[in-house]
Amino acid sequence: MHVRAEALRPDRVLVSASGPLDLATAPRLADVLRAESPGRNVIVDLSDATFIDSTGLAVLLNASRRAVARSTYLVVVCPQGPVLRMFELALLLETLRVVDSVAAALDALDATENGPYRAV
């Protein structure tokens, strides 16, 4: 797995991950998310991820919880495919904000004063 972070603006960072996101590689993503997220909204781009297991899902959930605690947001980019299917099977599409493109993630962050999360 390859993970890279790119500052989009002072208050936003794009973290891209490619390859499998599993028990062996999830700690790498977790480290980058912890290092890059304080005080910034995070977009996690999984467009090039080939697989995700429960460890990878847990990393994203924990990062989302940390974001909420800091009054920031986390949006996951995940187009159609096996990775999105795992989000569906784990019933996380209602918990995490998952969109199909980076442009949609940026729009979600800009859309409302309350952030990208759906009203409950």
Side-chain angles (χ1 to χ4, degrees):
M1 163 181 260
H2 178 70
V3 179
R4 69 180 174 89
E6 172 188 354
L8 301 177
R9 294 188 341 201
D11 66 334
R12 292 184 187 171
V13 64
L14 173 64
V15 176
S16 301
S18 61
L21 181 54
D22 56 20
L23 180 63
T25 59
R28 201 169 324 150
L29 177 60
D31 290 344
V32 171
L33 288 172
R34 273 192 294 276
E36 296 294 335
S37 63
R40 297 199 276 185
N41 296 308
V42 178
I43 298 170
V44 179
D45 185 0
L46 299 180
S47 297
D48 293 326
T50 57
F51 174 79
I52 192 167
D53 69 3
S54 60
T55 311
L57 295 173
V59 165
L60 295 171
L61 282 169
N62 288 331
S64 179
R65 287 185 190 117
R66 282 192 308 274
V68 169
R70 295 177 177 147
S71 298
T72 59
Y73 302 103
L74 179 131
V75 180
V76 178
V77 175
C78 186
Q80 294 293 324
V83 175
L84 181 62
R85 183 70 179 132
M86 288 302 295
F87 282 98
E88 293 169 348
L89 290 171
L91 303 175
L92 292 178
L93 294 180
E94 296 300 318
T95 304
L96 295 171
R97 180 61 191 259
V98 180
V99 297
D100 63 358
S101 69
V102 172
L106 292 168
D107 288 345
L109 288 172
D110 290 336
T112 67
E113 62 189 52
N114 297 323
Y117 303 124
R118 294 179 184 92
V120 182

